[in-house]
Amino acid sequence: MSDPREWIAASQLPGLGPVTLARLRQEGICITRLLRAELSLPPSIRLRRDTLEAIHQYQYQGPLFQHATRLQQQAEALEIHVLGLDHPDYPELLKAIPDPPPALWVRGRPAALSLPQLGMVGSRHASRSGAQLAYDFAAALAESGVITCSGLALGIDAAAHQACVDLARPTVAVLGTGVDRIYPRRHQRLADALLACEGALVSEYPPGTAPLQGHFPRRNRIISGLSVGTLVVEAAIRSGSLITARLALEQGREVFAIPGSIHNPLSRGCHALIREGATLVETVAQVIEQLGSMLGLLVPGVIDVALSAPEPLPDLEPELLQLLQAVPWEPIWLDTLADQSHLPLPRLQALLMQLQLEGLIELTASRVCRIR
């Protein structure tokens, strides 16, 4: 195993990203040996002048060497693990993608990165029903021995991580910041709970890295790369979730998508993926059945979210029950529902508020749909 500073330095070399590093690996050139001056570049490989200069500086303990040393010391002070590509805890699935990060920064339990996991992604502006689906799927997968890998973002990501935390099961969050900087900040408590459940926060960016916009699309390849498959719960037609799913396909991993209403903009991304070959799933059993041989799990032991006995409805007054039966599973305008139910709009809104408090419907702006 190489000195961690060598992998840190490799990740900080100007003009030498994961793609170029992967090309060097294909040519049989080990970047750590290059930094130690144990080999030279063949004529077929040409690097930028500033890259070569930085390598030369490292060899003579110049600025790059000193910078890598400071980052290593900072990581040790913050109890952050540094996993280079040759570290025994560097996950094999991630190592197999075309452009694995040369160094991973991990808070928590590094071994969690190698547990069987499913990537789960979706909209940051998830509907209430979409967030509940993510929670239910993640909980059922966790009870079956499959942990969830996601991005700690708002919406679907947070629901999936929360399900694992509530069951005291590990979960892996891949960040677009340094692992010492939680983004969004409101998820600090969730991140702390994740670590308490022997999960892990992981990033390819060193401590102190701010949440820059370009980092988040790049981290998607790590979510899909750590996972045997990726499940998209809700996604708009243009979203980072679709980027993750397509990266998973390029990496040779399974992609699953949950369908939804044709009127819901957050279903269109899932429908696009299904048209492109993603597996349509309605139950956790369908996910496990597809991945069972790889995960070594038995399908009969899986909790089937969609086919499990539905939670009984609360006792409702006849007027509320009649209105609930009139609310469709797809969004409907309040004015339209008022016309169909023959209720004055103020009375309709009062009754809908009661149904929402019971968790039976979802109100969004001037529309409503049934969720239970």
Side-chain angles (χ1 to χ4, degrees):
M1 189 172 65
S2 304
D3 185 332
R5 288 176 297 185
E6 294 169 354
W7 290 111
I8 294 172
S11 70
Q12 302 296 301
L13 280 169
L16 197 67
V19 173
T20 306
L21 280 169
R23 186 185 167 208
L24 290 176
R25 289 173 64 202
Q26 290 173 354
E27 296 289 337
I29 299 169
C30 176
I31 187 64
T32 56
R33 294 189 63 199
L34 193 63
L35 287 167
R36 292 195 297 264
E38 293 179 358
L39 51 78
S40 56
L41 288 171
S44 59
I45 300 290
R46 301 189 67 178
L47 299 179
R48 286 176 14 182
R49 180 175 296 178
D50 56 345
T51 307
L52 295 172
E53 177 61 28
I55 292 173
H56 183 74
Q57 290 174 0
Y58 184 89
Q59 293 169 351
Y60 288 90
Q61 299 189 2
L64 180 61
F65 178 89
Q66 295 166 14
H67 180 56
T69 300
R70 285 194 298 270
L71 286 175
Q72 184 191 30
Q73 291 170 346
Q74 186 179 0
E76 290 175 352
L78 295 172
E79 297 184 340
I80 296 171
H81 305 272
V82 183
L83 310 184
L85 272 168
D86 62 353
H87 194 286
D89 285 332
Y90 196 104
E92 291 297 326
L93 274 178
L94 184 60
K95 197 182 294 185
I97 71 172
D99 52 349
L104 292 176
W105 306 80
V106 182
R107 276 184 68 199
R109 182 181 168 217
L113 303 184
S114 296
L115 293 174
Q117 54 197 287
L118 183 80
M120 193 176 300
V121 294
S123 175
R124 287 175 169 81
H125 307 288
S127 67
R128 182 173 174 178
S129 56
Q132 188 63 51
L133 270 175
Y135 185 97
D136 291 342
F137 267 70
L141 287 163
E143 291 188 338
S144 303
V146 183
I147 71 172
T148 296
C149 178
S150 197
L152 204 68
L154 299 173
I156 296 301
D157 292 20
H161 290 306
Q162 189 65 56
C164 297
V165 166
D166 289 347
L167 290 171
R169 302 294 175 87
T171 178
V172 172
V174 182
L175 309 184
T177 62
V179 291
D180 59 331
R181 297 188 62 169
I182 302 303
Y183 181 83
R185 291 183 180 180
R186 71 179 75 175
H187 283 169
Q188 182 65 59
R189 184 176 298 178
L190 177 57
D192 293 341
L194 178 157
L195 294 174
C197 294
E198 297 192 336
L201 302 173
V202 59
S203 176
E204 66 179 313
Y205 303 109
T209 302
L212 301 179
Q213 186 175 2
H215 290 175
F216 294 92
R218 283 176 53 80
R219 65 93 185 264
N220 292 339
R221 80 188 193 287
I222 302 178
I223 295 176
S224 56
L226 286 168
S227 308
V228 293
T230 295
L231 171 65
V232 183
V233 180
E234 278 187 338
I237 199 67
R238 296 180 183 274
S239 69
S241 302
L242 265 63
I243 295 173
T244 309
R246 288 171 178 139
L247 286 168
L249 288 172
E250 291 173 8
Q251 293 164 355
R253 312 291 165 85
E254 296 289 341
V255 175
F256 307 93
I258 298 177
S261 167
I262 61 172
H263 302 293
N264 183 358
L266 294 179
S267 296
R268 292 175 186 164
C270 293
H271 295 167
L273 288 173
I274 292 167
R275 289 195 301 272
E276 293 172 11
T279 301
L280 184 155
V281 293
E282 300 170 306
T283 70
V284 171
Q286 292 167 347
V287 175
I288 298 296
E289 184 178 11
Q290 194 83 0
L291 299 174
S293 59
M294 183 178 293
L295 296 172
L297 299 173
L298 297 176
V299 175
V302 177
I303 296 176
D304 192 328
V305 173
L307 300 181
S308 58
E311 185 180 345
L313 294 176
D315 291 332
L316 299 174
E317 297 176 3
E319 187 179 22
L320 281 172
L321 183 59
Q322 184 177 0
L323 177 58
L324 177 64
Q325 292 170 344
V327 178
W329 294 91
E330 297 180 351
I332 184 174
W333 294 103
L334 293 184
D335 290 345
T336 304
L337 183 59
D339 291 340
Q340 293 178 357
S341 62
H342 306 293
L343 288 170
L345 190 57
R347 179 59 179 165
L348 175 66
Q349 290 173 323
L351 293 173
L352 289 175
M353 187 64 68
Q354 293 182 56
L355 292 175
Q356 185 178 38
L357 291 173
E358 294 286 355
L360 301 172
I361 64 168
E362 182 174 20
L363 282 165
T364 54
S366 298
R367 298 199 292 179
V368 61
C369 67
R370 186 170 174 177
I371 60 174
R372 193 174 130 212

